[in-house]
Amino acid sequence: MGIPVRQAVRVGAYLMKQKLARREKFALTLELEPLFACNLACAGCGKIQHPASVLKQRMPVEQALAAVEECGAPVVSIAGGEPLMHPEIDVLVKELVKRKKFVYLCTNALLMPRKIDAFEPSPYFSFAVHIDGMEERHDASVCKKGVFAQAVDNVKDAQRRGFRMTTNSTFFTTDTPQSVIEVLDYLNNDLKVDQMMLSPAYAYDKAPDQEHFLGVTETRELFKKVFADGRRKRWRFNHSPLFLDFLEGKIDFGCTAWAIPSYSLYGWQRPCYLMSDGYASSYRELLEDTDWEAYGRGNDPRCANCMAHCGYEPTSVLATLGSLRESVRAVRG
């Protein structure tokens, strides 16, 4: 199964509305970062490299909701940092669910036992737990032993409580086809999460580990082997089939980073969640004052090895909408 039917229908209607209004650029998913602080220091992430004064800040709920309303995206991915460190994260989620936004709360899951009673299961709400490999691989990725076991226990507890559980896995050059297959099989068949997201790692310039980011050729070779022999069909991905085709090199797309804008304590990040070329004060300013043609593979060297979902998943979704065959394929998975 691909994207959940309720979400696919709602997003499809939203996209048709944009098409009828002849809007060329619009938000599909908002990457919302209400804080940068985290309780882990992962080697492949540069978020906690912000100044201490910034790490102490927490975005007010009203400010976050205003950003969601401003861009109009039907899907909101709450990231960070670790969102569960925000004292009013439950309030924010409740308000977004009330507005019938599809909310994915990205978390390392360590704080879930303390926070989970503040949340309620809803078809509009999912925990998105970061799992970057089996136990040894994941604990090495987050630079702390025991995290995998705690995360798995907390996912199982949330499942017993009726929450929709998804995972998000990032892969590096240290991964092999077999290690990727093993973790996807485990998440799909043993942990039985509702859906999985995956992405090749992007080379954050502030990340402590700069040696293990995948290039385009390496990414395609990895996923071509991972998806071989019909394995793709047996895994529950929260991706469009065309994005998975893109990862294994069956199709190529241009970047549409404007469709997954990032809003944080600094404002609207230009041009995307992964790169920081300044900030806009509004989503309209981000759209109108960013030279989008200057970015993407072949334009900006920083984009040369990027195949991340924030740039290419929306392109695949737009391509899916433009094809009846691909639309049916997306619903069937």
Side-chain angles (χ1 to χ4, degrees):
M1 186 66 191
I3 296 168
V5 174
R6 182 194 299 261
Q7 182 176 329
V9 170
R10 182 67 60 82
V11 170
Y14 171 81
L15 290 173
M16 287 302 300
K17 180 179 179 181
Q18 307 311 309
K19 186 175 182 179
L20 291 172
R22 297 184 179 180
R23 294 192 183 98
E24 293 184 0
K25 292 183 175 64
F26 48 85
L28 183 59
T29 297
L30 172 61
E31 289 277 358
L32 179 65
E33 294 182 294
L35 80 173
F36 292 128
C38 189
N39 53 343
L40 289 175
C42 304
C45 178
K47 295 297 181 178
I48 64 167
Q49 304 301 318
H50 289 283
S53 58
V54 175
L55 293 177
K56 293 178 182 178
Q57 295 180 34
R58 306 290 184 264
M59 185 183 293
V61 170
E62 295 76 13
Q63 181 181 342
L65 292 174
V68 173
E69 296 292 346
E70 180 187 354
C71 74
V75 181
V76 180
S77 175
I78 306 177
E82 171 50 61
L84 291 180
M85 292 178 67
H86 194 293
E88 294 186 289
I89 189 62
D90 58 310
V91 178
L92 175 58
V93 168
K94 287 175 183 176
E95 289 297 323
L96 291 174
V97 168
K98 187 186 300 183
R99 290 162 172 76
K100 294 187 176 180
K101 301 293 184 180
F102 292 94
V103 182
Y104 291 84
L105 194 156
C106 304
T107 176
N108 56 44
L110 297 185
L111 297 178
M112 285 177 63
R114 295 189 218 170
K115 295 280 190 171
I116 198 165
D117 286 337
F119 297 93
E120 296 179 2
S122 166
Y124 292 97
F125 174 63
S126 303
F127 284 107
V129 178
H130 293 277
I131 301 289
D132 289 339
M134 297 303 289
E135 186 165 14
E136 183 177 351
R137 170 70 182 83
H138 180 72
D139 288 354
S141 175
V142 301
C143 304
K144 187 176 181 180
K145 290 184 178 181
V147 172
F148 179 87
Q150 291 180 61
V152 167
D153 285 346
N154 294 341
V155 167
K156 291 178 179 178
D157 177 62
Q159 289 171 324
R160 286 191 290 268
R161 295 167 180 258
F163 286 95
R164 186 170 183 271
M165 301 303 297
T166 66
T167 54
N168 191 359
S169 301
T170 304
F171 299 110
F172 298 79
T173 59
T174 48
D175 289 293
T176 66
Q178 188 56 38
S179 70
V180 176
I181 291 168
E182 285 177 0
V183 71
L184 294 180
D185 273 345
Y186 175 77
L187 296 173
N188 191 87
N189 304 333
D190 297 295
L191 197 54
K192 300 184 186 302
V193 299
D194 291 278
Q195 289 182 308
M196 303 176 291
M197 294 176 281
L198 46 79
S199 184
Y202 176 80
Y204 281 108
D205 58 358
K206 293 183 179 180
D209 181 2
Q210 289 290 318
E211 299 179 5
H212 298 110
F213 294 105
L214 288 162
V216 170
T217 300
E218 293 168 311
T219 296
R220 289 171 176 167
E221 290 177 351
L222 174 65
F223 286 106
K224 185 179 294 185
K225 293 175 181 176
V226 169
F227 294 155
D229 300 323
R231 278 185 290 267
R232 244 177 72 172
K233 290 291 185 180
R234 74 189 192 207
W235 291 322
R236 295 182 296 277
F237 285 123
N238 193 16
H239 290 295
S240 64
L242 280 179
F243 178 71
L244 299 177
D245 288 348
F246 167 75
L247 286 182
E248 61 175 311
K250 288 182 176 179
I251 192 171
D252 200 14
F253 288 126
C255 176
T256 49
W258 42 262
I260 304 188
S262 174
Y263 183 76
S264 71
L265 295 164
Y266 292 125
W268 296 91
Q269 188 167 325
R270 185 179 286 118
C272 67
Y273 175 69
L274 300 171
M275 292 166 55
S276 182
D277 285 355
Y279 296 83
S281 59
S282 68
Y283 181 58
R284 178 180 291 275
E285 180 186 328
L286 177 74
L287 290 183
E288 296 179 353
D289 293 354
T290 302
D291 183 7
W292 298 104
E293 298 301 319
Y295 297 100
R297 291 202 303 274
N299 298 317
D300 189 312
R302 295 170 297 176
C303 303
N305 288 314
C306 180
M307 294 183 72
H309 66 91
C310 65
Y312 297 98
E313 179 77 79
T315 321
S316 69
V317 170
L318 293 171
T320 298
L321 180 67
S323 166
L324 177 60
R325 175 179 176 275
E326 291 300 336
S327 296
V328 172
R329 184 180 173 215
V331 172
R332 289 180 176 175

